[in-house]
Amino acid sequence: MAAAFGVASFATALHAPARDRASLRPACAVARRRRNVLTRATIAGGASSSAFARAPRSSRPVRAAKSRPLQSIFLFFEGDRPSGAPNDAPSPRRSPAARLRAATPRDRPRPRLTTSSTPPSNPPNPKPPSSRRAGGQITDVSQIEIPTDLIEIRAFVRWEEAGKPEDTSPEWQAAEYARARLDLQLEALSGVSLNDMRRRYNQDTVDGDDDPMFPGVDANAILTAGKNVNYVANPENNAVAVSVDEWNDGDGDGGEFNKPTKTVEPEVWIEPEPEPVGVYQSTRGPSDLKELTLSLREHGDDRDDELASAQSKTFMTRWAGEGPGKRLPEKMINQRVYPIGKDAELLVQMYQVERSDEEAMSGARSKVARRRVVFTTDATEDFVLHWGVARDEPGQWLLPPKALWPEGTEIVSEISVETPLLQTEGCLPVQGVDGNEDDDACYPIQTMTIDLPGEGPLELMGMQFVIRNADGTSWYKDEFNGNSNFRANYAQAREQAVTDEMLDTIIRAEAGNGWWTLMHRFNLASSLIEQKCGAHSSLETDGKKTRRAEIAAAAKIYVWLRYSSQRKLTWQRNYNVKPRELSAAQSKLTRTITDVYRSSPHLRDIARLMLGTVGRGGEGGQGQQIRDEILNIMHRNNIGERKGVWMEEWHQKLHNNTTPDDIVICEAYLAFLKSDMDVSEYWRVLSENGVTRERLESFERPIKVEPTPRPHIKVALIKDFTNYLAILKSVHSGADLVECLKAASRKGLAVSHAMNYVRVAQNGGGDALQLLAACVDARHEIRDAGLANPNAADEGLVRELMYLDLAVDDVSRRAVERAGEADYGLDEQMYLAELVGENLALSLPSTNEDVVLALTEWRRVREAKTAGDATWALRAKAVVDRVRLSVSLHADAVANDMQPAANEIGRACGIESWSVDLFAEEVIRGGPAFALSLVLSRLDPALRAEADMGAWQIISPDPAIGFVKRVDALASVMNDTFDRPTILIADKVGGDEEIPAGAVAVLTTCSVDVLSHSAVRARNGGVLFATCYDEILLENLSQHVGDAMKVSVGKGEQIVWEEVDASAVDAAAANGAAGAESRNHIEGGLRLDNIPFCGKYTVPLSEFKQGVVGAKARNTRALNESLGGGKIPKWIRLPKSMVVPFGTLEHILKDPINASVARELMNLEAAVDDSSEESLATTLKNCRACVRTVQPPKGMIEEISTAMAAAGIDPPEDEDRWDLAWRALCDVWASKWNDRAFVSLRNHGIDHADLRMSVLVQPVVDADYAFVIHTANPSSNDATELYAEVVVGLGEVLVGNYPGRALSFSVKKATAAEAATGTKYLADGATPKVLGYPSKNVLLKIPRPTIIFRSDSNGEDLEGYAGAGLYESVPMDKESTLHADYSGDALVWDAETQRKVLTKIAEAGVAIEAALGGVAQDIEGVVKDGEIYVVQTRPQV
């Protein structure tokens, strides 16, 4: 043992990697066993050995200045020898220094600090002159010889008590070894024998060592002899740095010695030099970014079947949904399932019986005649209900009237009774593996029913109750509400019944008055996650679990935990939690979240966010270390446990209820120490981290005073609290990089070059771009270590990897902020954008596919730039627009998932309104998506300049004059009618909105297709419409909100504006020159013919005539006739077609089968309310839902089937397929009542009742590309130039106004005469010019051959009114929505393919225009295997 635990080997044990400590484990284990004995043993003289474990610890060695060699600080004693010493044993609760003070009446020894520039690495036992043992005479404590093996064991115990610090210096280790020897020398001096020490440490005894070494010796005289002996202070003597404060003020009682006449100079803390950052060069080759994507489809739908759902639900949960309570005649008001103990649950169901009250003064109304509360539990032990009733307020306890008592009820107090629950049996059906129900499974249950009076003089609003077992040894309350009483409250039941059950549970717990702490919150969160998220979720929607419901539940829990981490919710209320209990609750929650991450790929995004709100925790030992180590620090530094002292107040707070606030307090105290006791630094750190004086004083154990300056032990305290901060972070903080690295390393993760660079450079220094590259490389390494396939990795490893990933992500965010201050060139900015995008993809493991595909194309754009591709900037701009769109959609998803829950929890818990209102925005701004948005905003102007693009894209060029108004979204004001000309600045425009009446201009930063519905309506109505790519420009115009402005298109296709007098707006409006304001309404309105039903449900192509079918169908007939007559080339293909004619819906509504639907629709139409956007949306939605319930009259389906077959269209093959077809047809009819169409008709004076809908039926072509052509360029009104837009997949992405831009091009046409001959369609030398590359993020594909039902109303293509695009076209089979991958698309990247396809599209457009008399056409079509299909055409408006 002597060789095993010298100082050098002791240092090795402290600092060796875990894998290298194996050889030390046996010795360490022995030391631990000895340490365990230490707390139980009693040493000679009656002193507890644990007292000696708290021997005074001095200031530690100071890190030397750079120009000086390392030095160690040691001590020797000087002072007069005192006379006399008491013989009584020292107090077992005092440190050795304190006991020595108590033992000496006056003149204690005074320590003096000195230095040694060459501290020995392994100090031998002291060999003082005249050393004696066993009764011999000594003159100095250093002469007491202690066996080396005992010193080494004591040194190890001290290291454990210090929290097992791992980054100690050799000087500290040498000093600790000397302190360990001094501890034992002091014991020996007090009369403890060497064998007593050996027995305490479980060592073999040695003959002759049972007697005290120095009986009758004057201990105080020995201690003060240091002055006379005057040994040189080094480890060969008792070299130990003991501060004056330790000896003078150790217990805070002033001591019994005189104060020294000389003062000791305080030590100086020299901040360690930061590690050199160096240069980082990534050695990781380009990764396959697509490996980062997670296709949820790959995981199948096995978790969505009802069998799994039934198996995962508890019996009481199933009883609530499937038991007899669902079939009772009474109306259910509310039901809840509560946990009772560890294994049981209690179901409380509330019913009431309502009857008509004919005598009511206000007329007949519903009246509550009776109420009923049913209790059911699956507990195995007998339960008794202890209950009372409430009449005036929910918390009231009143003695229930005897008429309400069930059998067996007994009175137990003036306000309560008790009733035993009845034993019975509950049976539920069991599903077999084939999904069919087998025999019922029956279980023992207990139940009871209590009837309460309804409305009237005896009305009761509910009841309060608790549950106990039969012998009264266990009582159960509402664990979800701070262990308050259960309540069945009818006054709140109706409201509760329609609220979210999970939010209700959270709010009841948080907003209640019962006890509540972080521990309870974490335990409840663990329970809710297990119930609602992941592999064992019991969530159901329409009988099946859905991923969407689980995501929503997880988002609510995250909102709750984030509020908690932000100190918006109480961390302690009427309850004290031991640190080990809190630590265990944290650990359980983090393991639960980790399990969700491993088992549920669709929840990984939110699981990461949840984990970031909770500290790592531990299984008790780590939490207990918080409690123990603060005492160890105080004792080591002789800081007394004295009221009114800052450290004691903090100690009491830590002992009572440690929270994450303690990390901030510790950091503030360290700042105070390092600033030479500047208390303003203490308050600065607290304030910057959200801990105010009021918060400190609000703790149950408040901190009211400021830290006490202790300059003489400053260095020791800095070292101790630096180590203590690591302990606090290990429990309360999850994202501290160093702590995360340590934790992950213990799980076997090697610290790579990238990871180490991130660690060194995280707080500054080095290049931000290099740091970001290191962060991305490190995150890939973390992913490869277990996060790529977490379900196959160790759970503990996955948790530590998640924490480490969060920590590195946090560093990357700071790196992006630093990069914003750097002056990078264009190439570096593009590389920066790639790194930040890749970092975002790593942060969204569930939903990163869109970002990954955009990044893949971005890499190709960077390669194109390097290769000298002239179109690289235009391509780059498209990718930037796509990524911005992706970030915007991500932000919308966050807001939709989280803000409603934030509102509910925030308002119920009294959180300040600004925190509630900005919750989702702050989540987004604090994440990597916002960082990417900032980078792209800085990059965008440079790309536009390189692409020779201006700041504006002009969609409709008409000038306008009006008053400026800013709105969040164009859709939010679509229903409005502005009473004066208005220039709208809209933050969001989707392209499918109607231009509101009175709007003369729409300006936005959103990319909108030139051929979108909004664009067409703007051009049709003379509205100025433009997209601004420079947010600052549009922000400048926004400063004029409310002002009168004139806006027009200036030189270089730029929007210019000038402020005008308000009277100029009025004059322009009066003269019809304001813009669209005077053109939005057609004088007298338009009148649509009231078209009657033609007498049959279908018409063939040959009968596509005016008054029977719409313009789409008539143009389809014209195209077919032109194709047959040779007017258009044969290579243009036309789909087969048939039509369900005008008036069909109105006709079948008159059939008796739809009589009730017709009456309901008439009432709903009369109730349409356009007074607000919300009321209009709701009332029209009701109309659409009603139309979807229409049934086909007898023979109708057969007639349609026959007509399809005759037209060459394959009809649906079975009843299920016909059901899909009928639903699609009804959806087209129902689109008559969509918001956009209703507003458009109203604004143009068209009677909605006159609108009729025919439906064009065609087979769907599974397109490679879809296109829309305007044969006259709509942006420039140039009739000699064709303009077209192309998307990948089905055309609904284009005509349905999906966000983003399509690939757009223009080309000069041949003359009309040349085109009419069919010999030439494009001008000489003309080739398609790409104007913009695609930025739409999705494409649509059909899963199988199917048909589409196209709307074809009588309200389209009217003179002065472009009604096309207002109504829906619906495929029989729902399209598959996929993220578009342009990185390998030949149309985008292969020049020859691009030329051929675009030329073919353009030639088809010119040929059709020529065939239809030279009238400009709006044409829709697709490309399939190189062939051109034209599905419809209409005159271009």
Side-chain angles (χ1 to χ4, degrees), residues 354-372:
E354 298 179 359
R355 295 195 178 98
S356 177
D357 185 3
E358 301 293 343
E359 299 178 359
M361 295 292 293
S362 58
R365 68 174 182 87
S366 178
K367 177 181 180 180
V368 177
R370 176 171 52 85
R371 295 181 171 122
R372 170 169 290 182

Side-chain angles (χ1 to χ4, degrees), residues 45-46 54 63 79 164 230 300 423 502 581 587 624 636 870 957 1016 1063 1114 1174 1180 1204 1215 1264 1377-1378 1418:
R54 298 189 297 272
R63 181 182 177 91
K164 302 180 181 180
N230 199 29
Q423 297 283 351
M502 176 184 286
E581 295 172 335
S587 179
Q624 189 62 30
R636 279 197 299 271
V1016 172
S1063 60
R1114 298 197 304 273
E1174 294 75 16
L1180 288 177
M1204 284 183 178
E1215 187 175 336
D1264 299 323
T1377 303
L1378 308 172
D1418 176 355

Side-chain angles (χ1 to χ4, degrees), residues 1057-1077:
W1057 60 83
E1058 60 177 315
E1059 192 167 358
V1060 298
D1061 190 83
S1063 60
V1065 179
D1066 297 333
N1071 297 329
E1077 192 273 337

Side-chain angles (χ1 to χ4, degrees), residues 496-557:
Q496 291 175 351
V498 297
T499 61
D500 182 277
E501 180 185 353
M502 176 184 286
L503 288 180
D504 185 50
T505 297
I506 292 170
I507 290 169
R508 282 163 56 90
E510 295 292 347
N513 295 318
W515 43 257
W516 194 247
T517 66
L518 280 174
M519 179 192 72
H520 299 101
R521 181 175 298 132
F522 294 155
N523 285 334
L524 176 57
S526 297
S527 175
L528 291 177
I529 291 171
E530 290 172 349
Q531 293 174 29
K532 307 295 184 182
C533 309
H536 305 294
S537 164
S538 61
L539 278 178
E540 292 189 37
T541 300
D542 295 330
K544 291 189 176 182
K545 290 188 291 183
T546 67
R547 292 187 176 91
R548 180 65 249 167
E550 290 182 344
I551 290 171
K556 293 165 189 171
I557 296 173

Side-chain angles (χ1 to χ4, degrees), residues 1335-1380:
S1335 62
K1336 289 184 181 291
N1337 65 332
V1338 298
L1339 62 89
L1340 299 178
K1341 301 293 285 185
I1342 57 169
R1344 55 171 294 170
T1346 189
I1347 54 180
I1348 187 169
F1349 295 82
R1350 300 185 185 276
S1351 59
D1352 197 8
S1353 76
N1354 64 337
E1356 301 180 31
D1357 307 324
L1358 305 176
E1359 183 66 32
Y1361 175 65
L1366 288 175
Y1367 310 100
E1368 305 296 329
S1369 293
V1370 183
M1372 186 175 80
D1373 293 278
K1374 185 175 177 59
E1375 309 99 326
S1376 297
T1377 303
L1378 308 172
H1379 284 115

